[in-house]
Amino acid sequence: MMVFSTSTKTTPSTSIWRRRAFRYVKALCVLIFWLLIWQYVAYKVHNPLLIPFPREVGARLWELLWSLSFWKIIGRSLFRIMTGFTLGVIGGLIMALLTSFFSPLDDLFSPALKSILATPVASFIILLIIWFDPSLAPALVAMLVVLPMVWRHMHGGIIAFDSQLVEMARLFRLSPLRRLRRLYIPGLIPPFLSACSVGVGLAWKSGVAAEVISYSRYSIGGELKAGQTYLETADVFVWTIVVIILSLLIERLLTDLFRQLNRSYNKKVS
């Protein structure tokens, strides 16, 4: 008598697909939960000038998606803020290298960089509007917010670098270039990724705030200010949602990009 066993085997690809599907379903359930809370609060308040219904905000967002000006506004804000973010990352890396290897420069610049970290963003925005063209404020504020953030992460990473590995590299007489490629760059990638992940969110928040205060035309912040001025609360909700989505997407794209570059670099040097 033959006995047939029906055992199901789970392949790695199936397991990965199930985990991804579970994450998507969980995210959808969380989204539905908060939409229901929003719907309930809007129903209780029953004043669209204070809290519009999700249906109204969704309809307004759908209407804007088909408008060319909507994408132009997003493009202009993206260009301004990401320009400031890029300049802040480059400046932070340079300052981290200078202050880590030259102690007089550390004594000179560290207090100023720490002061920038402790200063309210609104103060920088107002001063930059006074000193420069208001249209430059979003990029400059994003740069000032990101630069000390990158400096702090990278400076700490360099200072905390394993001295035994450095001494071993010296004993094996590795050239400075090989030390940089095989020792310093792989060891400093984690703090760099952490700094960029935190910095891009701060750049978006501060950049949009600068657009609001400076009332920059054709910008996300300008549209938020216009919505507040003309009591178009649905527009304020729409543009706030756009800022959140863009911030999350850019953070995810940057993280995936840097990780892919890190894998490619490790394969190249190994």
Side-chain angles (χ1 to χ4, degrees), residues 96-109 155:
L97 291 173
L98 292 176
T99 56
S100 297
F101 295 105
F102 302 100
S103 56
L105 293 180
D106 186 26
D107 296 334
L108 183 63
F109 289 110
H155 180 74

Side-chain angles (χ1 to χ4, degrees), residues 136-147:
L136 298 176
L140 293 175
V141 167
M143 181 188 71
L144 284 174
V145 169
V146 173
L147 191 151

Side-chain angles (χ1 to χ4, degrees), residues 7-167:
S7 61
T8 58
K9 294 183 178 180
T10 304
T11 62
S13 59
T14 304
S15 178
I16 293 173
W17 183 88
R18 286 180 178 176
R19 287 199 299 268
R20 288 180 178 176
F22 177 75
R23 286 201 303 266
Y24 292 145
V25 171
K26 184 172 70 172
L28 181 61
C29 291
V30 171
L31 178 62
I32 292 173
F33 170 79
W34 286 110
L35 285 175
L36 291 174
I37 295 293
W38 179 4
Q39 176 73 19
Y40 176 77
V41 173
Y43 175 77
K44 282 295 184 180
V45 174
H46 204 67
N47 187 349
L49 291 179
L50 295 178
I51 302 179
F53 285 93
R55 181 182 60 187
E56 297 174 3
V57 175
R60 180 58 177 155
L61 177 59
W62 181 256
E63 178 185 348
L64 288 173
L65 286 174
W66 299 98
S67 171
L68 182 60
S69 61
F70 174 80
W71 298 104
K72 286 183 178 180
I73 289 168
I74 290 178
R76 287 175 68 90
S77 290
L78 269 173
F79 176 77
R80 289 170 176 168
I81 296 173
M82 294 311 295
T83 297
F85 171 78
T86 304
L87 293 175
V89 169
I90 295 173
L93 287 173
I94 293 173
M95 293 304 300
L97 291 173
L98 292 176
T99 56
S100 297
F101 295 105
F102 302 100
S103 56
L105 293 180
D106 186 26
D107 296 334
L108 183 63
F109 289 110
S110 290
L113 293 169
K114 292 177 181 178
S115 298
I116 293 174
L117 282 171
T119 304
V121 176
S123 300
F124 284 125
I125 296 172
I126 294 171
L127 289 173
L128 290 171
I129 292 173
I130 294 173
W131 293 339
F132 302 101
D133 188 335
S135 63
L136 298 176
L140 293 175
V141 167
M143 181 188 71
L144 284 174
V145 169
V146 173
L147 191 151
M149 180 67 63
V150 174
W151 164 79
R152 185 173 65 178
H153 281 75
M154 298 303 294
H155 180 74
I158 295 172
I159 295 300
F161 209 82
D162 194 344
S163 58
Q164 293 182 353
L165 291 177
V166 177
E167 187 63 29

